[in-house]
Amino acid sequence: KLRSTSADHLAHMDVLLGELGCMAGVSPDDITRELTWARTQPKEAAAVLRKRLPNYKGKDYFPPERDGSSVVTKEGKVVVEEAIKYLEALETMGGVGTSSELALGLAAEDHVADIGYTGVVSHSSSDGSCAADRVSRYGRFRSTGESLWYGSAKADARTMVLDLIVDDGVASRGHRLCVCNPIWEVVGVAYGPHSTFGTMSAMEFAAGWSPDGAASDDRRASGPVHVAGQEEAKKSVTTQWKLGGCLVCNQEIKGGAVMEIEKLGGKVHKDCFNCKSCSKPLKGVPWNAHERSIFCKPCYTEQHGERCIGCSKPIEGGMMNCALGKFHVECVICATCKKSIGKASFSTAGGAISCQACSSQKVRTASVGRLAGLTVDGGSGAVGGRASSVLGREPRMGLLVAPLRQHAKGKFPGSRRKGCLEGGTGAPEGGSEGHGQGEGCRWEALHGGSRCEYRRTRHGLLRPRLSPGFSLTG
């Protein structure tokens, strides 16, 4: 029955050999000891099994090891109650040892390697051979029998044995009868991955067992037997569930641990719910999706996340968003004074970040530039031309200069007195005061302040509200 092995299957065998017998801390010897416990202490096994009953809600069973997720059973707790009665009436029998028998374990390992890869649920190998055929490769026997368990990697050895004794959905209760058959003297066990249900265990029981040492040595050297027909068997796998395809591997979901991922819009195999980049399991940790691929947060940030305009590094955690782009908070630095701004207000005028202090200084400087065309000298005192539409501040005078012609024509809101401030004189370049006069009013501003604003008076005039250091008469 030995066949040539493809490269893909060799890769699968490398993974399998590393996982057999050591997944989730369960070993073949652990399972062997639990089988002996159930056979030699059936009433104690019944008492442990009774503790399962409160964990049923209808046909949904919530195993403690599943952290709140359920197993959909076929018969509900009725079959558990039946198994309890069976164990309570069962006579104590001999055990099957405290360690897995080596040669029988090789036969079990062959079957786990075969149907674990194909995902089939069957006592027959992919080439049609049966349990007795597999066992006979490595020895002779008077009687032999096989029990197969499928389920979550979170289950421990005792859970597996009790599941077989419950035997939910199997009308003949064949697994229960096999585990508790008093004729068995020894058992060989293997445990490993199953592509449909997650994990599986094969238990090869025997009576009158005589191992073939040479065949066992050759098999240990060559690894699990690869039988013909695996790819055909893999394509033919069917289950009672119609769950669609996995959004990650694109294979049909036929059973086992399945997760509904709302963000992806469908279901995935639990074993497929890993970061595409680092393969880290993503259940219970932050993750992001990109073009239907899933990543842990660090990998997503590095490969597809926002990058800081300031340092070009990925942004993970808090960030600042402005007209220039996205920044790390610590990268928001004033381009003028080089001080860190953090989460304080800032300006992006001119395409550069400026703190409030530097931004205000730039505004004052720009205002002086805009007032460069304003003519206020000792002779004319007239404000005209381009400057008549400018509102700015002359720093030496500290006076907010207004477009006087528009003011005089009553164009400022609330101005009803025309002719006011028609003309005037001033001496901002060489002196410290300016003055002007118009119909019915006279004004004078003294140097020393920094800002003023126009306001409406009860006479309908707009006149400066001066900062400290200014005086106004009129």
Side-chain angles (χ1 to χ4, degrees):
K1 293 184 176 66
L2 294 173
R3 299 288 187 272
S4 61
T5 306
S6 67
D8 288 344
H9 194 73
L10 280 172
H12 172 74
M13 289 295 102
D14 289 341
V15 174
L16 179 65
L17 287 170
E19 293 179 336
L20 283 172
C22 61
M23 296 175 63
V26 175
S27 72
D29 290 349
D30 292 334
I31 298 172
T32 302
R33 285 189 289 270
E34 293 302 326
L35 287 167
T36 292
W37 166 76
R39 290 165 61 90
T40 59
Q41 301 182 60
K43 290 180 174 56
E44 183 177 322
V48 174
L49 199 52
R50 191 177 297 279
K51 295 178 181 178
R52 288 192 177 193
L53 296 176
N55 296 326
Y56 278 84
K57 293 182 180 179
K59 292 186 178 180
D60 291 339
Y61 172 53
F62 293 82
E65 71 273 9
R66 294 280 189 105
D67 300 323
S69 62
S70 65
V71 176
V72 180
T73 68
K74 296 181 177 69
E75 301 178 68
K77 67 179 181 180
V78 173
V79 68
V80 180
E81 293 170 337
E82 176 193 301
I84 292 170
K85 292 179 180 178
Y86 174 84
L87 288 172
E88 290 175 337
L90 191 65
E91 294 291 334
T92 299
M93 65 190 73
V96 286
T98 57
S99 60
S100 173
E101 202 283 325
L102 178 61
L104 286 171
L106 295 175
E109 194 174 284
D110 286 348
H111 199 46
V112 172
D114 180 17
I115 69 170
Y117 170 71
T118 64
V120 171
V121 177
S122 176
H123 289 280
S124 297
S125 299
S126 295
D127 63 355
S129 57
C130 66
D133 295 328
R134 293 188 293 272
V135 170
S136 64
R137 295 172 188 159
Y138 309 112
R140 297 189 303 275
F141 54 87
R142 183 174 68 250
S143 299
T144 187
E146 178 180 73
S147 285
L148 303 177
W149 174 92
Y150 307 87
S152 168
K154 291 184 177 181
D156 59 20
R158 177 162 293 187
T159 296
M160 297 176 197
V161 172
L162 292 176
D163 284 347
L164 291 170
I165 293 173
V166 170
D167 217 3
D168 176 69
V170 180
S172 68
R173 307 295 188 229
H175 300 93
R176 179 190 300 173
L177 297 175
C178 183
V179 168
C180 299
N181 191 332
I183 72 170
W184 304 137
E185 300 164 345
V186 67
V187 68
V189 180
Y191 176 56
H194 189 269
S195 60
T196 299
F197 290 104
T199 55
M200 70 168 291
S201 177
M203 305 165 204
E204 309 296 339
F205 297 89
W209 174 245
S210 178
D212 184 333
S216 297
D217 289 342
D218 290 343
R219 161 61 178 76
R220 285 199 301 273
S222 62
V225 172
H226 173 52
V227 296
Q230 287 188 330
E231 297 307 318
E232 291 76 9
K234 190 176 181 71
K235 295 175 183 177
S236 68
V237 175
T238 59
T239 64
Q240 61 180 317
W241 298 282
K242 302 297 181 182
L243 301 174
C246 173
L247 296 175
V248 176
C249 70
N250 298 316
Q251 298 294 315
E252 183 183 356
I253 299 176
K254 298 172 182 177
V258 180
M259 301 180 68
E260 181 81 32
I261 308 297
E262 185 176 347
K263 191 185 294 187
L264 295 178
K267 298 179 178 65
V268 300
H269 295 113
K270 182 181 177 183
D271 290 342
C272 291
F273 191 52
N274 303 318
C275 175
K276 183 179 180 180
S277 180
C278 69
S279 301
K280 175 183 179 180
L282 297 178
K283 184 180 180 182
V285 301
W287 61 277
N288 291 92
H290 180 76
E291 296 180 351
R292 298 182 72 83
S293 295
I294 52 179
F295 300 86
C296 64
K297 199 158 187 179
C299 290
Y300 177 86
T301 299
E302 179 64 33
Q303 298 181 30
H304 306 291
E306 300 282 359
R307 291 190 174 267
C308 176
I309 298 298
C311 67
S312 300
K313 294 180 180 179
I315 299 176
E316 186 172 4
M319 68 178 179
M320 296 287 283
N321 192 6
C322 66
L324 302 180
K326 295 179 173 63
F327 292 80
H328 292 112
V329 175
E330 59 271 21
C331 292
V332 182
I333 298 172
C334 179
T336 302
C337 68
K338 309 303 180 184
K339 292 182 179 179
S340 176
I341 297 173
K343 295 183 179 181
S345 299
F346 59 87
S347 169
T348 58
I353 293 177
S354 298
C355 64
Q356 287 182 314
C358 293
S359 177
S360 297
Q361 180 61 40
K362 289 180 181 179
V363 170
R364 287 195 294 272
T365 304
S367 297
V368 172
R370 290 196 298 269
L371 290 173
L374 184 63
T375 302
V376 184
D377 56 33
S380 67
V383 182
R386 179 174 63 85
S388 67
S389 62
V390 174
L391 181 63
R393 182 165 64 83
E394 206 292 316
R396 293 188 61 193
M397 290 286 292
L399 177 66
L400 189 65
V401 180
L404 301 184
R405 293 195 177 215
Q406 291 186 8
H407 186 123
K409 294 179 182 179
K411 292 185 179 180
F412 281 173
S415 177
R416 297 198 296 266
R417 296 279 305 273
K418 293 185 179 181
C420 182
L421 305 180
E422 186 78 21
T425 63
E429 294 297 327
S432 61
E433 65 178 30
H435 66 273
Q437 55 185 338
E439 294 182 7
C441 71
R442 177 177 177 276
W443 60 272
E444 182 178 34
L446 301 178
H447 174 69
S450 60
R451 182 177 175 83
C452 67
E453 299 175 358
Y454 281 90
R455 65 182 178 88
R456 182 177 179 179
T457 70
R458 62 188 180 85
H459 301 294
L461 293 175
L462 291 174
R463 54 188 281 184
R465 179 187 293 123
L466 302 177
S467 298
F470 278 93
S471 65
L472 180 67
T473 60

